[in-house]
Amino acid sequence: MNTRGDYAASEPHATATVAVVTPPPVVPHDSATSWGAIFAGAAAAAALSLVLLILGVGLGLSSVSPWAYEGVSAEAFGWSSIAWLTFTAIAASGLGGYLAGRLRNKWSNLHGDETYFRDTAHGFLSWSVATLLTAGLLTTAIGGVLGAGAKVAGATAGAAATTAGGVAAAAGPAAMGGDNGDLQYWVDGLFRATPNAPAAPAAPMGPPPAPVAGAAPPVPSPQAGTAVPPPRPMPGAERGPGPGPGPGRGDIRGEVNRIVVNSLKGDAMDPADTQYLAQLVANQTGMSQAEAQARVSDMQTRLRASLDKAKNDAKQAADDARKATAYAALWLFITLLIGAFSASLFATWGGRRRDL
């Protein structure tokens, strides 16, 4: 006989199901930039650049000479310097880029293009740090290479623009009677004595003429061998300094210096100044007025020709320095680009070897 409890005991029991969720394993994040490898490659590139630059300086100085017909020419030296700088950029940057790519962390689960981009970026960053480091170590050398031509160009251009002004300023002490001055040579040329003309042959001596009644006694002529006293100088044109009322020699030459300096401010000397200088030269040297005028004109012509030549030489030197500086800057820019390309390319090769 079945009871209520029997039915209850015969029913099956329900079981509870518990789901256990296991979190996925945490994969460590790979850094896209390995700064340790970048700085290591940059240090190697900077060190190799310094070594190669020092070697290039030694080789370059041993190939040139200040003596004529010795050493290489300036053109050959320039092209060899460009070739050596290019080789230095390729070797040093390539080494730094290869080390940056070879020493970086190994990336997992990356596409091939992404790996190639990261390796290229490592090489470029290594080249950038090496370039800044080398520039910091060789600040004086780079300033000498790039700034020497600019300094020379500026100095020579300034000298070309102020040649006449510099001559006038330097002639200040000479205008005050000093012995040192750029115009003293030209003033000395004005007052330079000319050789005396040969004396005419003396007439044969005869008996003295008979005195005329009522005539004044004849003035005795100087005998042979007797020195004739010099002519009395004109008032205001004494030959040497002294306590007299007229100006001394130094005062006259100082006045001439001031006249010549003032004439350099224009295209030609004032006609009144030219005539006055000719009178001074004639009084001081004993020349005729026409000869003194010709000497003053010749001095002006030669002085202006000398100043024009100095200006042209200064301008030519400035132009040569400008061209040399421009060529140096352009070729340095090209070598830097070659170095950046080499570092990036060698970094991809180093990264490929790292992933093998």
Side-chain angles (χ1 to χ4, degrees):
M1 179 176 178
N2 294 329
T3 60
R4 188 179 181 89
D6 296 335
Y7 286 106
S10 62
E11 292 179 358
H13 298 281
T15 58
T17 303
V18 179
V20 179
V21 178
T22 304
V26 179
V27 179
H29 177 69
D30 294 334
S31 176
T33 307
S34 301
W35 287 106
I38 292 174
F39 283 110
L48 184 58
S49 297
L50 182 61
V51 172
L52 292 179
L53 285 177
I54 294 176
L55 178 60
V57 170
L59 294 177
L61 292 179
S62 63
S63 63
V64 297
S65 175
W67 304 105
Y69 306 106
E70 292 187 10
V72 298
S73 62
E75 183 178 2
F77 179 78
W79 285 111
S80 60
S81 299
I82 293 173
W84 184 260
L85 287 177
T86 304
F87 169 74
T88 300
I90 294 176
S93 301
L95 176 63
Y98 183 83
L99 291 179
R102 188 68 181 271
L103 299 179
R104 51 93 173 162
N105 297 328
K106 186 174 183 179
W107 300 304
S108 57
N109 300 326
L110 285 181
H111 192 269
D113 293 340
E114 180 65 19
T115 302
Y116 184 83
F117 173 78
R118 290 187 180 185
D119 288 335
T120 304
H122 274 67
F124 182 79
L125 291 176
S126 175
W127 168 83
S128 302
V129 175
T131 301
L132 297 177
L133 182 60
T134 305
L137 294 176
L138 302 178
T139 301
T140 55
I142 293 178
V145 172
L146 296 181
K151 291 178 182 178
V152 172
T156 51
T162 61
T163 299
V167 171
M176 298 302 294
D179 292 335
N180 296 326
D182 291 344
L183 294 179
Q184 193 66 36
Y185 167 78
W186 304 99
V187 176
D188 291 341
L190 283 177
F191 295 101
R192 189 172 299 161
T194 56
N196 294 329
M205 296 181 63
V212 180
V219 179
S221 58
Q223 300 179 358
T226 304
V228 180
R232 185 176 181 180
M234 297 179 60
E238 284 77 2
R239 289 179 176 271
R249 180 177 181 180
D251 296 334
I252 293 177
R253 297 203 173 202
E255 183 182 7
V256 173
N257 274 330
R258 290 188 290 271
I259 293 175
V260 174
V261 170
N262 183 71
S263 69
L264 295 178
K265 299 178 182 179
D267 296 333
M269 184 180 292
D270 187 79
D273 291 337
T274 304
Q275 185 178 3
Y276 178 70
L277 286 184
Q279 292 176 359
L280 290 179
V281 172
N283 293 336
Q284 292 290 316
T285 60
M287 302 171 62
S288 63
Q289 184 69 19
E291 294 175 344
Q293 186 84 17
R295 176 175 287 190
V296 172
S297 301
D298 180 68
M299 183 274 298
Q300 296 182 53
T301 303
R302 292 189 294 114
L303 176 58
R304 293 185 180 275
S306 178
L307 291 178
D308 292 340
K309 183 178 182 300
K311 291 180 181 179
N312 293 332
D313 292 343
K315 291 180 180 179
Q316 184 63 38
D319 188 65
D320 293 342
R322 177 192 61 82
K323 292 180 180 179
T325 304
Y327 292 155
L330 291 176
W331 279 108
L332 185 59
F333 169 75
I334 293 175
T335 54
L336 288 176
L337 289 184
I338 293 175
F341 176 78
S342 300
S344 302
L345 179 62
F346 277 77
T348 58
W349 294 349
R352 188 179 306 172
R353 296 291 300 176
R354 173 67 179 83
D355 293 336
L356 290 180

